[in-house]
Amino acid sequence: MAELGRVTWPPGPIATARLLLRPPEPRDRAAFVELYTSPEVGTYTGGSRSREAVERALPAAPQGRPGHFVIDLDGAMVGIVQLERRDVDYDVRQAAGHVDLGYLLLPEAWGRGYATEACEAALSWFAGALPGEAVVLITQTANVPSMRLAARLGFVEVERFEAYDAEQWFGTWTPALATG
């Protein structure tokens, strides 16, 4: 995995009106297991993983990496948002070498605007940490909520392509374009 860039990590908790973006903590492990094993969450991400596989692979204390935030609502993890620079040999060539926005929320947190709020806060942090650098986003076109989120966040469609047996949407976000 390529480095995100020269950023101070962790930046300290990032508070929004309702949420806190923070590094993962040992108490989040059960929520990570639920997130990665949820059939609903896995619908557009290649499917859910087995509980046994996730339990085996996930460390007792989930590790934080620059650009990876837990979405915390009232002291409990409800999802994750991450800004991750993809390696130049990443299998989706459109994202290779770019910083990619990703997000996953537990199904009980869907439809309440938490993804928008968390992604806006993460993008704002990113724009301050790495001024002027664009962010990319890839989602399946069949994932209508994710397509709406991309539009709300100010991502602009670059292209559509086939990958993972589905049509994918590829867009880009530039801080200068998003803020004015």
Side-chain angles (χ1 to χ4, degrees):
M1 175 186 338
E3 288 295 317
L4 182 59
R6 296 180 88 84
V7 298
T8 301
W9 191 260
I14 299 170
T16 69
R18 302 177 294 170
L19 305 170
L20 190 67
L21 301 186
R22 60 170 175 78
E25 299 172 356
R27 67 185 168 113
D28 300 322
R29 190 175 193 280
F32 273 106
V33 171
E34 290 305 313
L35 189 66
Y36 296 141
T37 61
S38 167
E40 295 88 357
V41 172
T43 299
Y44 300 108
T45 61
S48 61
R49 295 164 44 194
S50 77
R51 182 167 295 279
E52 298 76 26
V54 172
E55 290 277 1
R56 245 188 340 270
L58 195 62
Q63 301 298 304
R65 296 191 314 257
H68 289 230
F69 297 96
V70 162
I71 303 170
D72 182 306
L73 174 67
D74 298 328
M77 177 182 151
V78 295
I80 58 171
V81 61
Q82 59 192 36
L83 290 150
E84 182 172 30
R85 187 173 310 280
R86 298 299 182 180
D87 289 322
V88 293
D89 60 352
Y90 186 62
D91 54 342
V92 178
R93 70 163 177 75
Q94 289 85 345
H98 296 285
V99 173
D100 182 31
L101 175 68
Y103 40 86
L104 296 173
L105 278 80
L106 291 165
E108 57 267 24
W110 292 359
R112 297 185 176 148
Y114 299 145
T116 301
E117 194 171 323
C119 288
E120 285 174 343
L123 288 168
S124 178
W125 165 79
F126 181 83
L130 294 167
E133 184 162 353
V135 175
V136 301
L137 184 146
I138 300 168
T139 189
Q140 287 186 21
T141 57
N143 188 345
V144 175
S146 191
M147 295 284 293
R148 285 194 304 260
L149 177 58
R152 275 193 305 276
L153 295 172
F155 280 82
V156 176
E157 182 174 342
V158 174
E159 70 175 299
R160 294 178 187 218
F161 61 95
E162 290 290 321
Y164 309 114
D165 299 321
E167 183 182 53
Q168 306 291 323
W169 183 92
F170 176 76
T172 188
W173 176 90
T174 304
L177 295 175
T179 59

